[in-house]
Amino acid sequence: MRRAAGVLALLLGATLARAGDEPPLPEVGAALGRIAGRSTVDLTTVGRKTGREHTRPVWFVVADGKILVQAGKDGKSDWYQNLRKNPAAVLRVAGFTFRTRAVPVTDPARVEEIHRLFLRKYTSAWVLSFFGSSIGRGQPVELAPWSVVVQRDG
């Protein structure tokens, strides 16, 4: 019985790991394409202490079917700490609402790749980097969207 439970856990884990690597659903992919050029997204997290929703605008980059964000203050920002406790997040931008699952990025090569994407998108961060600023070089998080809702006017 214990062996069967172990095999089941292994299979479920492998299935979930593959699901995170799959491309987004077509409607999610289309929505990501529509928002990629925007400057900020409203990120809503659940407070790790209060359990209340907290929303704040953050810079973002769309890459590889994910929405990438970065936390300043060496990862000590509240929204980052909230995501570490509860990885569910909601993003709103340009009439789209994405439900996502957050995964902090720790692989050094991927971290540097994400920093380059931010510096390429946000010219002000790139310019300030020449003066020692860490803007655009925060602790990155991949937000994998699993659904999107479009708000239609009218």
Side-chain angles (χ1 to χ4, degrees), residues 25-37:
L25 295 171
E27 61 272 17
V28 172
L32 290 174
R34 305 261 320 257
I35 68 162

Side-chain angles (χ1 to χ4, degrees), residues 112-133:
E112 280 306 311
E113 178 185 350
I114 291 170
H115 288 167
R116 281 193 299 277
L117 291 170
F118 270 82
L119 293 176
R120 191 175 309 133
K121 181 175 180 179
Y122 297 98
T123 306
S124 57
W126 178 74
V127 169
L128 290 171
S129 72
F130 290 105
F131 298 98
S133 173

Side-chain angles (χ1 to χ4, degrees), residues 22-143:
E22 291 180 14
L25 295 171
E27 61 272 17
V28 172
L32 290 174
R34 305 261 320 257
I35 68 162
R38 296 289 182 143
S39 181
T40 61
V41 63
D42 287 331
L43 169 67
T44 301
T45 61
V46 175
R48 64 194 178 281
K49 296 176 185 173
T50 65
R52 294 186 199 145
E53 290 187 347
H54 298 277
T55 302
R56 68 169 294 124
V58 295
W59 282 357
F60 74 101
V61 173
V62 173
D64 305 321
K66 295 180 177 78
I67 300 167
L68 309 171
V69 295
Q70 294 187 76
K73 303 179 190 175
D74 293 323
K76 293 182 180 118
S77 56
D78 281 332
W79 66 261
Y80 180 77
Q81 295 300 317
N82 291 344
L83 287 176
R84 292 192 53 89
K85 172 88 175 180
N86 178 357
V90 175
L91 302 170
R92 291 181 182 87
V93 60
F96 295 98
T97 300
F98 296 89
R99 297 217 175 267
T100 67
R101 182 178 184 283
V103 177
V105 178
T106 57
D107 174 63
R110 180 70 172 146
V111 168
E112 280 306 311
E113 178 185 350
I114 291 170
H115 288 167
R116 281 193 299 277
L117 291 170
F118 270 82
L119 293 176
R120 191 175 309 133
K121 181 175 180 179
Y122 297 98
T123 306
S124 57
W126 178 74
V127 169
L128 290 171
S129 72
F130 290 105
F131 298 98
S133 173
S134 63
I135 294 175
R137 301 190 67 77
Q139 176 59 50
V141 177
E142 292 182 339
L143 298 165

